[in-house]
Each structure stands twice: as structure tokens, then as C-alpha cells.
């Protein structure tokens, strides 16, 4: 893919509006080309883009990441998790999609969308690094979501967050966020039929795709699932070597912490909250243990 012809002129200005203009051109190209491309090749391309932006995979490995996929409740689960950990005094990053009003909402620090100034700064840093190496890579440039993912990684590394909560875009196995090789903990929210043309026509096929974010030795949690997809998750976790636990119902926490109430209504939010509690608790426990042992990542 090649950026639109006006890009070079826009790059010289390096304004916020210029950044939005170039980003929108990536979105237009995504709508036309991305659905036709092999997802395996897209993930491979994402790994190449990562290097071109100056982020070696080893550097990304050092980031404290909580990686979350699923069909329903990804955003709520990530928001709950980020809020819990931020309330412990940690400097948090949060990457999510889609945005409601402005694209800056997708990349948050300490719960707030990054400022116009930071967005402009890091957008052009990322874009220029990609442009500089474009001729060596057959003029290939990332699609919209790929670019924002690369930019989010760059922001979180440069802003030195203590941890980053990363929400998967589509699926898991071939999602561009799956360049993450060493998350601290993974979460899988409620599964359903979504993006069937890309992920499969059955719950079991979709569960297989979602399980693609699991990594060897990395703990994972999921909410209650239907028996079929749960078996797929458990089988994949065993094959990968990722210990997988099913979260308890939120009511089961009451014996320890008393009655639990949420700001969001609905039984599904109670599932999301339970998953968030498990993800944040696991991260806090392992972070403290690893740090005391001198092996923390940051």
C-alpha cells in the first residue's frame, strides 16, 4: 500500500490536522484493501512495521502488557482493569477501539486520551520512521488500525507507563496486536459469533482464533463460556502451555470484600468486572513477586 499523493506536502507541516488527514487516508485504503489480504501476511507485515518504527520485539517484550480479547465486553473489561490498576498509583496506558468522538480516545494515559500535542508529536515520529524505510519495503505502509497500534506502542514506551492494557481489534491469532510476545497476563471475555467471514462460522472456530493471543507460560483468565468454545480454549491453552482459569461469579467475592456494586448495569458487566479483578490481581501479585526477585520488566 502507498500513501496518497498529498502526504509528502502534509508531512512538511506536521500539524495535528495534517496528522488527521494522513490517518484518514490510511482508513480509506483499509476499507478497500485490508479485507482482501491474507491475515497471516498482515501479521507478518505488522512485525516488519514494528521494526521500521524503531521498536524491536525485544523492546516490546519489556513492556508490562495485559492483553484482552473476546467478542463482548472487551472494552468494559479493559476499562475496569485499567481503573483498578491506576487506583493503585500506577501510570497506565490503555489502547482500545473504536473511538466514540475522537481518535485520541484510542490511546490513553492514566485514563485520559492523549493530548492533541502528544498525538501530533508521536504521530509524526511514527509516520516519519515508516516513510524513511518505505522504499526498502516496496512502498508498503500500514493500514489504519495497524498504524494506530504501532503508534500506541511507541507512545507507551516513550511515556514510560508502568503497564499497558491492550484490547484486541478483531479475533486474536492474526490481529495486529498479536505481535505482543510476552504479555504478563491475558484475558478472554464472553464469546459469540462475530466477524464470521474472518474468524469462522461456529463458536468453536471463533474460540480458536481468540485463543491465539495465549502465550507459553503466561497465565490467562476467561469468563463462563458455553461448553463447546470453552473446551477449545482449554485445549489450546494446554497445547500452548498457558495456564487458564475460569473467573468466579462476582457474588463469590462478597465473602472477602463485602457487597460488590458497579457503575454499569447488566449481568454481562458483572462477568467483565470479575475478569478485570482477576487480571489486575494477577498482575499486581506477579509484579510484586518478580520485582522482589529482581526480574521485573519495569
Amino acid at each position: 500500500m502507498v500513501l496518497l499523493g498529498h502526504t509528502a506536502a502534509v508531512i512538511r507541516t506536521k500539524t495535528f490536522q495534517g496528522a488527521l488527514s494522513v490517518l484518514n487516508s490510511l482508513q480509506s485504503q483499509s476499507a478497500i484493501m485490508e479485507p482482501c489480504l491474507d491475515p497471516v501476511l498482515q501479521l507478518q507485515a505488522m512485525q516488519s512495521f514494528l521494526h521500521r518504527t524503531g521498536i524491536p520485539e525485544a523492546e516490546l517484550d519489556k513492556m508490562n502488557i495485559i492483553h484482552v480479547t473476546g467478542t463482548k465486553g472487551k472494552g468494559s473489561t479493559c476499562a475496569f482493569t485499567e481503573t483498578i490498576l491506576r487506583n493503585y498509583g500506577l501510570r497506565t496506558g490503555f489502547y482500545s477501539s473504536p473511538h466514540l468522538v475522537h481518535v485520541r480516545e484510542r490511546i490513553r494515559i492514566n485514563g485520559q486520551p492523549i493530548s492533541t500535542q502528544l498525538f501530533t508529536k508521536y504521530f509524526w515520529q511514527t509516520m516519519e520512521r515508516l516513510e524513511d524505510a518505505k522504499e526498502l519495503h516496496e512502498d508498503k505502509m500500514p493500514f489504519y488500525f495497524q498504524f494506530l497500534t504501532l503508534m500506541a506502542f511507541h507512545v507507551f514506551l516513550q511515556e514510560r507507563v508502568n503497564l499497558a492494557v491492550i484490547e484486541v481489534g478483531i479475533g486474536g491469532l492474526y490481529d495486529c496486536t498479536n505481535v505482543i510476545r510476552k504479555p504478563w497476563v491475558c484475558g478472554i471475555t464472553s464469546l459469540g459469533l462475530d466477524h464470521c467471514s474472518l474468524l469462522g462460522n461456529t463458536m468453536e472456530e471463533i474460540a480458536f482464533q481468540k485463543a491465539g493471543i495465549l502465550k507459553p507460560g503466561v497465565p490467562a483468565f476467561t469468563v463462563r463460556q458455553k461448553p463447546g468454545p470453552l473446551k477449545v480454549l482449554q485445549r489450546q491453552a494446554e497445547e500452548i502451555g498457558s495456564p487458564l482459569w475460569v473467573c468466579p461469579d462476582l457474588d463469590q467475592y462478597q465473602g472477602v470484600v463485602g457487597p460488590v456494586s458497579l457503575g454499569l448495569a447488566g449481568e454481562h458487566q458483572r462477568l467483565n468486572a470479575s475478569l478485570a479483578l482477576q487480571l489486575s490481581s494477577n498482575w499486581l501479585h506477579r509484579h510484586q513477586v518478580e520485582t522482589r526477585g529482581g526480574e521485573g520488566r519495569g
Side-chain angles (χ1 to χ4, degrees), residues 1-294:
M1 172 191 154
V2 183
L3 284 178
L4 301 183
H6 69 280
T7 301
V10 173
I11 281 180
R12 287 195 291 271
T13 65
K14 295 182 183 178
T15 63
F16 177 65
Q17 290 302 322
L20 294 183
S21 178
V22 175
L23 187 60
N24 287 336
S25 76
L26 297 179
Q27 188 173 39
S28 300
Q29 292 293 322
S30 297
I32 297 169
M33 299 178 64
E34 192 170 16
C36 304
L37 297 183
D38 186 326
V40 178
L41 296 180
Q42 286 195 62
L43 185 58
Q44 291 174 350
M46 185 66 183
Q47 293 167 337
S48 174
F49 294 140
L50 196 66
H51 287 283
R52 285 168 57 185
T53 54
I55 306 175
E57 288 176 316
E59 188 69 17
L60 194 61
D61 290 346
K62 296 177 184 178
M63 191 187 300
N64 300 321
I65 291 175
I66 297 174
H67 202 188
V68 179
T69 189
T71 303
K72 297 171 284 188
K74 287 182 299 181
S76 296
T77 298
C78 288
F80 282 143
T81 304
E82 185 276 332
T83 300
I84 292 169
L85 293 169
R86 175 161 39 92
N87 285 336
Y88 272 85
L90 297 166
R91 181 170 172 81
T92 61
F94 178 17
Y95 177 58
S96 64
S97 62
H99 56 271
L100 296 178
V101 178
H102 201 283
V103 67
R104 292 184 296 106
E105 299 169 18
R106 296 183 182 224
I107 304 174
R108 296 173 180 255
I109 295 177
N110 284 340
Q112 296 299 315
I114 60 172
S115 66
T116 299
Q117 291 76 17
L118 281 184
F119 186 94
T120 304
K121 172 184 175 181
Y122 290 123
F123 178 93
W124 291 117
Q125 285 183 1
T126 305
M127 179 57 68
E128 287 185 327
R129 292 177 183 182
L130 289 164
E131 283 280 331
D132 287 345
K134 186 173 68 172
E135 292 184 3
L136 299 176
H137 294 84
E138 300 177 341
D139 286 345
K140 291 181 180 178
M141 292 291 283
F143 294 120
Y144 184 88
F145 187 75
Q146 290 173 326
F147 181 90
L148 287 173
T149 303
L150 293 164
M151 181 177 162
F153 291 151
H154 180 53
V155 169
F156 297 150
L157 286 167
Q158 293 301 309
E159 292 295 313
R160 299 183 181 277
V161 299
N162 297 125
L163 67 109
V165 181
I166 306 292
E167 178 186 349
V168 166
I170 296 175
L173 182 59
Y174 300 119
D175 185 74
C176 67
T177 65
N178 210 27
V179 291
I180 298 167
R181 302 187 303 182
K182 294 185 178 181
W184 276 71
V185 61
C186 295
I188 301 175
T189 66
S190 297
L191 299 181
L193 295 174
D194 68 319
H195 300 285
C196 294
S197 61
L198 297 173
L199 306 181
N201 295 314
T202 69
M203 294 278 285
E204 287 74 16
E205 289 175 325
I206 288 172
F208 178 85
Q209 292 290 325
K210 306 292 185 180
I213 71 165
L214 304 181
K215 301 297 186 296
V218 175
F221 295 87
T222 187
V223 300
R224 294 192 318 268
Q225 308 283 0
K226 293 181 179 179
L230 179 59
K231 286 181 181 179
V232 173
L233 295 180
Q234 291 170 330
R235 182 181 68 242
Q236 291 303 112
E238 184 175 357
E239 290 183 4
I240 293 167
S242 171
L244 175 68
W245 291 276
V246 178
C247 298
D249 292 339
L250 197 60
D251 292 342
Q252 296 182 34
Y253 295 86
Q254 293 188 14
V256 178
V257 300
V260 178
S261 60
L262 302 176
L264 298 175
E267 178 60 28
H268 62 288
Q269 296 295 359
R270 297 180 69 81
L271 294 175
N272 300 335
S274 179
L275 178 55
L277 285 169
Q278 293 299 321
L279 293 173
S280 53
S281 175
N282 184 274
W283 190 92
L284 287 167
H285 174 72
R286 294 186 67 231
H287 180 75
Q288 291 166 357
V289 170
E290 296 280 356
T291 302
R292 285 199 297 270

